[in-house]
C-alpha cells in the first residue's frame, strides 16, 4: 500500500497481530483505482478459537476492574485516535474510497467521540436501591459477557468504535469482524485500544466473510451480537442468535423519507438532500433517499439541486479538494447502475448523472431522478449509492402517509420554517433517528437506530448501555423467613 500505518497482519487477537495463512485470502482493493493494495486471510477455526478463548479469559478481570479505570483506558484511546486522525483517515480512505475531506472529520473522529463518551460514562453506571418497607432490594448492572460486533463496509472505523466503546465500558469483551470489503481499519482500533492500556483479549479483530461471522454468532460462549448491515443478513443473524437466546442489536438498512415543505429555506433543504444522498457516495444506511418535495417548489428545488450537484468535485479521494469518491467495490457500483436502469425503465425523469464515470475505480456520477412514484423500485428498495429519488406531494397528510409506507424505519427528515409543523410531522413518522432542518447528523450523545425492519436496539448515548449490560436484582430480607410449613 505504501502507507506506514497499514496493519501488519490479518487479525488482532489476545493483544497482538496474528497471521494464519491457512485462511482463505481476501484481497484489499482500493476503490479509487481498483488496485490490490493488500491481502488478509479469513480467520481459520484456530484463530476463531483463540479469539473466543482469550476474550472469555480476559473478561472477568475487566468486569471486576473499577469502572473509572476502564473509562480511563477508553479515554486514552480516544486521545490517541485524535492524535493520529490523519493517518487513520488515509487508511479509511484506502479501505473505503471515501474522500479524505470526509474521512478527516467523520470516521476516526467519530470513533474517538464514542470512546471518550462511553469512557466518561463508565464510572457512572450503577444499580439502584429499592426500598420495600422493612426489606429492600438492589440492582447490580452487570456486563453481558462476550459481545460480537459485525460491521458493514461503509464506516469501518466508526462501526468498530460504536460497538466496542459501550461494550468495553460496561465490562464486556468484544470480538469484531469487519466486512471483508474493508478489513483494515478495525485492526488499527484494536491496536490503539491496546496501546492505551486495554488488557489482551478484550478487543479482538478477526477477518472473514459471512461464514466467520456465523461461526462467532453460533458459538455458545458468545452472549451478544451487534450487526450493522443489510436486512437479509440481519434476519439470518437475528435468527441464529435467537436459537441460543442471545442479546442482539441490529443496525440495518433503510429507505428513509426527507420531506421538504414549500416554506423551507430552499438552499438548506437542497443541502440536506445532498448530505442525505451523496455523502459517502450514498453509502449510508440512514440516507433520505425518498425526497418528497411539495409541488409548488418542485422545479425550483430540482433546478437548485442540479446546480449544486454540478459543484461536486469527483476524483482522487486522497486529494482534499475532492468531495465525492467512488463506490466501495465494483459489485456495489454494478448494483447501483442496475437500479439506475430500473429507474429509467420505469419512467422516472433523469435530472442528472445516471452513469459510471469513464475512469479507473468504481465511480458513479451523482444521480437525481424526478417524477418518481411510490411504486417504482427506486422508491422502494435500498440502493446504497448516489441515487436520489425526488417525489412530489400535495399536503402534509399525503406526505406523512406515503413517507410511512415502507417496511423500513431508520430515519426521517423534515425541512420547513414552520417549527410547529416540523415537530408535528416528525411525531407521526415511524422512524428511529429523525431530523428537523438537518440531515444525517449522528452525535454520540443521541441514540441512533431504527424501527420496523431497520433494526432493533440503539447505538450511541446512554441508550446503548441498556444493550451492553443487564440488571441483576437482589432481594434482601431483614427479618425471619415465613415459610408455609
Ligand atoms: P451485509 O449485510 O451482507 O453484511 C454485513 C456484515 O455481515 C458483513 O461483515 C458480512 O460479512 C456479515 N455477514 C454476512 N452474512 C452473515 C452471516 N450469515 N452471519 C454473520 N455475519 C454475516 O452487507 P454488505 O456489506 O454485503 O452490503 C450489502 C447491502 O447491505 C448493501 O447493498 C446495502 O444495501 C446494505 N448495507 C447496509 C448498511 C447499513 O449501515 N445499514 C451498511 C452496508 C451495507 P461479509 O460481507 O464480509 O461477507
Amino acid at each position: 500500500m505504501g502507507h506506514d500505518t497499514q496493519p501488519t497482519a490479518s487479525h488482532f487477537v489476545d493483544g497482538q497481530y496474528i497471521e494464519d495463512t491457512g485462511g482463505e485470502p481476501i484481497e484489499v482493493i482500493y476503490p479509487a483505482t481498483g488496485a490490490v493494495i493488500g491481502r488478509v486471510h479469513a480467520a481459520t477455526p484456530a484463530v476463531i478459537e483463540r479469539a473466543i478463548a482469550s476474550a472469555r479469559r480476559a473478561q472477568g478481570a475487566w468486569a471486576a476492574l473499577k469502572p473509572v479505570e476502564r473509562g480511563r483506558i477508553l479515554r486514552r484511546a480516544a486521545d490517541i485516535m485524535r492524535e493520529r486522525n490523519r493517518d487513520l483517515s488515509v487508511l479509511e480512505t484506502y479501505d473505503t474510497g471515501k474522500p479524505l475531506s470526509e474521512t478527516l472529520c467523520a470516521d476516526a473522529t467519530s470513533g474517538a467521540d464514542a470512546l471518550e463518551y462511553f469512557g466518561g460514562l463508565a464510572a457512572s453506571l450503577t444499580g439502584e436501591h429499592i426500598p420495600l418497607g422493612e426489606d429492600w432490594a438492589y440492582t447490580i448492572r452487570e456486563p453481558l459477557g462476550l459481545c460480537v460486533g459485525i460491521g458493514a463496509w461503509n464506516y469501518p472505523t466508526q462501526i468498530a468504535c460504536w460497538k466496542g466503546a459501550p461494550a468495553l465500558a460496561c465490562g464486556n469483551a468484544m470480538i469484531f469482524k469487519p466486512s471483508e470489503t474493508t478489513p483494515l481499519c478495525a485492526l488499527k482500533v484494536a491496536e490503539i485500544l491496546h496501546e492505551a492500556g486495554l488488557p489482551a483479549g478484550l478487543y479482538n479483530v478477526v477477518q472473514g466473510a459471512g461464514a466467520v461471522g456465523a461461526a462467532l454468532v453460533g458459538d455458545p460462549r458468545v452472549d451478544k451480537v451487534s450487526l450493522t448491515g443489510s436486512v437479509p443478513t440481519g434476519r439470518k443473524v437475528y435468527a441464529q442468535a435467537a436459537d441460543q437466546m442471545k442479546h442482539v442489536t441490529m443496525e440495518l438498512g433503510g429507505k428513509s423519507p426527507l420531506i421538504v415543505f414549500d416554506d423551507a429555506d430552499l438552499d438548506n433543504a437542497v443541502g440536506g438532500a445532498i448530505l442525505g444522498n451523496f455523502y459517502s457516495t450514498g453509502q449510508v444506511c440512514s440516507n433520505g433517499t425518498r425526497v418528497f418535495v411539495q409541488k409548488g417548489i418542485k422545479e425550483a428545488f430540482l433546478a437548485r439541486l442540479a446546480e449544486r450537484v454540478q459543484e461536486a468535485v469527483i476524483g482522487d479521494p486522497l486529494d482534499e479538494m475532492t468531495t465525492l469518491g467512488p463506490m466501495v467495490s465494483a459489485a456495489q457500483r454494478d448494483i447501483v447502475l442496475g437500479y439506475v436502469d430500473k429507474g429509467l425503465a420505469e419512467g422516472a425523469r433523469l435530472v442528472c448523472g445516471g452513469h459510471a464515470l469513464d475512469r479507473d475505480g468504481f465511480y458513479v456520477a451523482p444521480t437525481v431522478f424526478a417524477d418518481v412514484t411510490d411504486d417504482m423500485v427506486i422508491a422502494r428498495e435500498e440502493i446504497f449509492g448516489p441515487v436520489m429519488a425526488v417525489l412530489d406531494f400535495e399536503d402534509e397528510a399525503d406526505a406523512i402517509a406515503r413517507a410511512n409506507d415502507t417496511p423500513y424505519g431508520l430515519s426521517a427528515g423534515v425541512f420547513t420554517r414552520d417549527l410547529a409543523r416540523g415537530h408535528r410531522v416528525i411525531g407521526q413518522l415511524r422512524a428511529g433517528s429523525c431530523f428537523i432542518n438537518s440531515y444525517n447528523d449522528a452525535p454520540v450523545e443521541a441514540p441512533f437506530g431504527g424501527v420496523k425492519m431497520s433494526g432493533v436496539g440503539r447505538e450511541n448515548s446512554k441508550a446503548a448501555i441498556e444493550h451492553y449490560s443487564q440488571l441483576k436484582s437482589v432481594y434482601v430480607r431483614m427479618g425471619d423467613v415465613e415459610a408455609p410449613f
Side-chain angles (χ1 to χ4, degrees):
M1 166 188 292
H3 192 265
D4 59 9
T5 59
Q6 191 176 7
T8 55
S10 295
H11 318 285
F12 194 98
V13 173
D14 205 8
Q16 56 185 312
Y17 278 107
I18 62 165
E19 193 56 89
D20 181 348
T21 52
E24 203 178 311
I26 299 169
E27 288 186 333
V28 188
I29 293 169
Y30 181 38
T33 60
V36 176
I37 53 163
R39 178 172 290 108
V40 295
H41 292 268
T44 55
V47 168
I48 295 172
E49 179 55 35
R50 213 169 142 187
I52 294 175
S54 65
R56 296 277 343 171
R57 200 168 50 241
Q59 190 262 327
W62 177 245
L65 209 62
K66 279 187 188 164
V68 73
E69 292 178 30
R70 290 204 298 266
R72 201 173 294 139
I73 291 170
L74 298 186
R75 287 188 292 109
R76 211 178 285 141
D79 291 343
I80 300 174
M81 284 195 83
R82 288 211 180 88
E83 280 161 24
R84 297 190 195 153
N85 183 39
R86 178 158 287 271
D87 282 351
L88 294 169
S89 302
V90 169
L91 190 70
E92 175 96 17
T93 291
Y94 275 120
D95 229 359
T96 62
K98 291 186 294 182
L100 201 52
S101 60
E102 282 189 19
T103 55
L104 281 169
C105 60
D107 294 286
T109 53
S110 165
D113 284 354
L115 290 163
E116 183 175 27
Y117 179 87
F118 288 105
L121 213 55
S124 67
L125 304 177
T126 58
E128 61 178 342
H129 170 265
I130 303 159
L132 298 167
E134 187 184 324
D135 295 344
W136 51 286
Y138 63 96
T139 59
I140 306 172
R141 187 168 287 282
E142 295 187 334
L144 300 174
L146 173 52
C147 305
V148 162
I150 300 176
W153 37 254
N154 52 350
Y155 283 86
T157 304
Q158 187 189 86
I159 296 170
C161 293
W162 281 21
K163 298 188 191 308
L168 292 170
C170 290
N172 301 284
M174 169 154 280
I175 301 175
F176 188 78
K177 188 206 82 69
S179 163
E180 62 180 315
T181 312
T182 53
L184 302 179
C185 295
L187 291 166
K188 299 305 282 188
V189 173
E191 198 186 307
I192 287 170
L193 278 164
H194 288 83
E195 202 177 321
L198 188 72
L202 289 168
Y203 190 89
N204 295 330
V205 174
V206 298
Q207 307 295 347
V212 170
L216 291 167
V217 176
D219 194 288
R221 292 168 291 178
V222 168
D223 302 288
K224 191 233 156 84
V225 182
S226 176
L227 170 82
T228 297
S230 62
V231 169
T233 301
R235 211 183 261 125
K236 276 191 239 164
V237 172
Y238 201 169
Q240 197 188 3
D243 195 47
Q244 294 171 26
M245 216 57 79
K246 291 179 185 181
H247 298 249
V248 295
T249 299
M250 294 281 145
E251 291 296 345
L252 309 177
K255 192 74 193 175
S256 300
L258 173 57
I259 304 176
V260 181
F261 286 97
D262 58 11
D263 67 340
D265 178 296
L266 193 67
D267 255 304
N268 282 335
V270 167
I274 287 172
L275 281 175
N277 282 272
F278 300 133
Y279 200 73
S280 301
T281 321
Q283 303 164 115
V284 183
C285 50
S286 49
N287 270 355
T289 47
R290 290 183 296 143
V291 181
F292 291 91
V293 181
Q294 202 159 16
K295 271 205 170 121
I297 57 160
K298 173 182 148 186
E299 292 307 329
F301 179 90
L302 289 171
R304 188 69 189 114
L305 179 63
E307 254 170 43
R308 287 193 45 187
V309 169
Q310 294 309 313
E311 292 168 20
V313 182
I314 308 173
D316 175 6
L318 290 167
D319 178 344
E320 276 182 59
M321 299 308 290
T322 297
T323 54
L324 196 91
M327 309 293 316
V328 75
S329 63
Q332 192 61 26
R333 176 200 56 199
D334 295 345
I335 289 171
V336 171
L337 293 174
Y339 277 109
V340 169
D341 288 345
K342 280 183 196 143
L344 292 169
E346 287 179 310
R349 166 163 58 114
L350 186 65
V351 176
C352 58
H355 54 86
L357 295 192
D358 185 18
R359 56 176 292 158
D360 286 344
F362 315 128
Y363 288 86
V364 175
T367 301
V368 176
F369 280 112
D371 303 337
V372 176
T373 54
D374 298 336
D375 54 335
M376 289 182 187
V377 173
I378 57 166
R380 305 217 64 82
E381 296 182 10
E382 185 179 45
I383 298 175
F384 230 66
V387 181
M388 184 192 305
V390 177
L391 306 91
D392 18 293
F393 72 95
E394 297 279 353
D395 60 25
E396 192 175 308
D398 174 37
I400 293 168
R402 290 166 57 206
N404 282 332
D405 182 18
T406 167
Y408 296 112
L410 186 48
S411 291
V414 176
F415 274 84
T416 175
R417 282 201 181 90
D418 177 349
L419 277 183
R421 172 159 65 186
H423 293 290
R424 184 171 66 234
V425 171
I426 284 292
Q428 293 173 78
L429 292 176
R430 296 191 61 203
S433 302
C434 298
F435 309 91
I436 296 177
N437 293 330
S438 191
Y439 208 84
N440 259 354
D441 315 76
V444 69
E445 297 90 337
F448 180 82
V451 303
K452 301 200 281 182
M453 294 301 280
S454 291
V456 175
R458 292 292 176 268
E459 298 200 291
N460 288 345
S461 82
K462 285 177 230 153
I465 297 302
E466 299 303 325
H467 302 287
Y468 284 101
S469 63
Q470 58 197 340
L471 292 174
K472 173 183 279 176
S473 83
V474 184
Y475 188 103
V476 181
R477 182 173 296 280
M478 301 300 284
D480 295 330
V481 172
E482 284 178 31
F485 53 84

